[in-house]
Amino acid sequence: MRGVTSLGNRVGRGRRWLREHPLAFDGALALAVLVCMVVGSFVDPHGHRHGPSFGERTPDARSVLLMLTGAAALVWRRRRPLRVLLLTGAAGVVEYAEGDPAAPVAMSAVIALYTVASRTDRPTTWRVGLLTMAVLTGAAMLLGAAPWYSQENLGVFAWTGMAAAAGDAVRSRRAFVDAIRERAERAERTREEEARRRVAEERLRIARDLHDVVAHHIALVNVQAGVAAHVMDKRPDQAKEALAHVREASRSALDELRATVGLLRQSGDPEAPTEPAPGLAVLEDLLATFRHAGLPVELARTDGGTTLPAAVDLAAYRIIQEALTNVRKHAGPDAKAEVSVVRVGRTVEVTVLDDGAPAAAPDGGAHRGGGHGDGHGDGPDRGHGGHGLIGMRERVTALGGSLTAAPRYGGGFRVHAILPLTAPTGEAT
């Protein structure tokens, strides 16, 4: 068994070597064809009444030269298949016209015809194959020494036809294998592109979450720290309360950051947090943090008992969080906010209103929204950079909804999002 395996390995290595060195393979094939033609030239198919005889006839110098020419031409059969076929076919025709009896020079033309059929298209195979069959068979019938109906002449017709058919079959199989390989490679590229797309979408989603968490909690920490510094000497009890809110906001920020970054851990890393993502179920807790920071917020909801998809629930929560953060940072100390969550058909509408006046920018202009304009006309903060409104718009667009954010007539700002209850298939959330 081990010897058979070793022999199989040597044969496999030999085949690979021949595929990597096609000229050497063609040289060996030409030598084998020459040996077959020379041996066949000593055979007389009618030398004996019981069958062919060997050694009763010998080829002359002209036949040997034609056999050498036809065999040598096969070395270049891959590079110039049509020219090689023309040369070997001409040698066969000359041998039929001058040889008596003719040596099997046409054997080299059969190999050349197979090469043409295997390396060109089907129409070319049909045209060249029929022409070669007609020329060689006609030369054998009309110019050969044997009668036109002899089996040798029919053999020329059969061998040329089989060579063309075999070459066409090999070409078709090669094209089929190449097509399968190309489809497999294209499918692999598609999978890689899809994986890269999903990674990019997940990175964008995590970036939005990190921005929302940091912007919200750091804004609250900043406000409460300012309050504590302002009343530290005169009202220490109020300063302690402000510092407690700072500690609570920072702890919440750390918890949310830990939950978000935990999604990036590998399978061998410590266990990621199992707390659910925030949603409208904890909306009151979110509004309480803003009220503690000094922003009066009123809530109106008509979605009681509605179970929202996780992506929609998280998006609504983040939109309210970002909008109120902008109100607290830029609407002024006396601003008030209103939040409404309304179920309308198969959508949920989230609205955040405030009555604050735009804060003056260093250049004298207004930039409500905290510099989060996306350059699409979302308020007078166009062109100031930032990612707040961009992040909200991306969240809503990913779910197939719509978002408008613009100043209100008479003062204040309005953020309005319409979220479908069913996210588009395949969209990242």
Side-chain angles (χ1 to χ4, degrees):
M1 185 66 180
R2 184 178 302 173
V4 174
T5 303
S6 177
L7 178 61
N9 292 335
R10 286 197 295 271
V11 171
R13 287 195 296 269
R15 289 178 176 176
R16 286 194 297 271
W17 187 89
L18 290 175
R19 284 196 298 267
E20 294 171 357
H21 302 81
L23 188 61
F25 175 80
D26 290 341
L29 176 63
L31 180 60
V33 171
L34 177 61
V35 171
C36 292
M37 289 191 296
V38 171
V39 172
S41 64
F42 285 92
V43 177
D44 185 0
H46 305 289
H48 194 275
R49 62 177 181 174
H50 296 296
S53 60
F54 182 80
E56 296 185 4
R57 71 169 184 171
T58 56
D60 55 20
R62 185 199 66 258
S63 297
V64 174
L65 180 60
L66 290 174
M67 286 187 287
L68 287 172
T69 302
L74 294 178
V75 177
W76 291 274
R77 67 188 185 97
R78 298 176 193 261
R79 300 180 182 179
R80 299 289 187 270
L82 291 175
R83 294 182 182 180
V84 170
L85 176 60
L86 179 62
L87 179 59
T88 55
V93 171
V94 171
E95 178 62 18
Y96 282 124
E98 302 294 337
D100 187 16
V105 179
M107 185 179 299
S108 59
V110 171
I111 302 299
L113 177 59
Y114 164 83
T115 304
V116 171
S118 65
R119 304 184 72 83
T120 58
D121 52 20
R122 180 161 293 171
T124 303
T125 299
W126 274 95
R127 291 192 295 267
V128 175
L130 290 175
L131 180 61
T132 304
M133 292 168 60
V135 170
L136 290 179
T137 305
M141 290 182 175
L142 299 176
L143 304 178
W148 68 270
Y149 52 84
S150 64
Q151 60 182 5
E152 291 86 351
N153 297 337
L154 296 178
V156 173
F157 179 84
W159 279 106
T160 51
M162 286 190 296
D168 183 70
V170 170
R171 180 196 55 77
S172 299
R173 182 181 181 278
R174 187 183 297 126
F176 176 72
V177 172
D178 291 342
I180 292 178
R181 184 181 296 110
E182 195 274 335
R183 284 198 297 269
E185 293 174 354
R186 185 168 61 249
E188 184 65 24
R189 289 194 300 269
T190 302
R191 284 194 294 269
E192 292 176 357
E193 292 172 358
E194 178 67 15
R196 287 194 294 268
R197 185 185 67 82
R198 290 183 179 275
V199 168
E201 291 178 350
E202 184 65 13
R203 290 176 61 186
L204 180 61
R205 187 191 68 80
I206 293 174
R208 287 196 299 260
D209 284 344
L210 289 175
H211 171 271
D212 293 343
V213 170
V214 171
H216 166 62
H217 290 290
I218 296 302
L220 295 182
V221 167
N222 179 64
V223 171
Q224 296 292 351
V227 172
H230 182 69
V231 301
M232 179 68 70
D233 296 332
K234 297 181 179 179
R235 288 175 287 177
D237 292 340
Q238 188 175 354
K240 290 181 180 180
E241 182 180 356
L243 292 176
H245 291 316
V246 169
R247 182 176 59 185
E248 181 181 354
S250 61
R251 183 174 61 251
S252 299
L254 289 175
D255 291 340
E256 291 199 37
L257 286 174
R258 188 180 299 112
T260 302
V261 176
L263 298 175
L264 304 177
R265 291 177 173 174
Q266 303 295 325
S267 57
D269 292 341
E271 182 179 0
T274 58
E275 296 181 0
L280 296 182
V282 293
L283 180 58
E284 285 291 351
D285 296 337
L286 174 66
L287 301 185
T289 62
F290 285 101
R291 293 175 181 133
H292 292 156
L295 175 64
V297 183
E298 297 182 2
L299 173 65
R301 298 185 63 173
T302 63
D303 64 326
T306 300
T307 301
L308 302 180
V312 176
D313 197 25
L314 176 60
Y317 179 91
R318 292 301 189 194
I319 290 170
I320 296 172
Q321 182 185 55
E322 177 64 24
L324 291 178
T325 300
N326 285 341
V327 172
R328 186 64 188 86
K329 291 167 60 177
H330 305 289
D334 299 327
K336 297 180 181 180
E338 299 178 5
V339 176
S340 65
V341 181
V342 181
R343 168 75 181 271
V344 181
R346 298 189 60 80
T347 63
V348 172
E349 297 188 10
V350 176
T351 306
V352 179
L353 306 174
D354 70 82
D355 58 359
D363 59 359
H367 63 283
R368 275 296 310 281
H372 298 300
D374 55 4
H376 295 284
D378 292 331
D381 62 325
R382 288 180 300 192
H384 282 275
H387 303 285
L389 292 179
I390 294 177
M392 286 191 285
R393 187 179 300 280
E394 288 174 346
R395 286 184 181 277
V396 175
T397 302
L399 296 173
S402 62
L403 175 77
T404 57
R408 299 172 62 192
Y409 180 76
F413 207 76
R414 177 178 182 268
V415 176
H416 179 66
I418 301 177
L419 303 174
L421 295 181
T422 302
T425 304
E427 289 286 354
T429 57

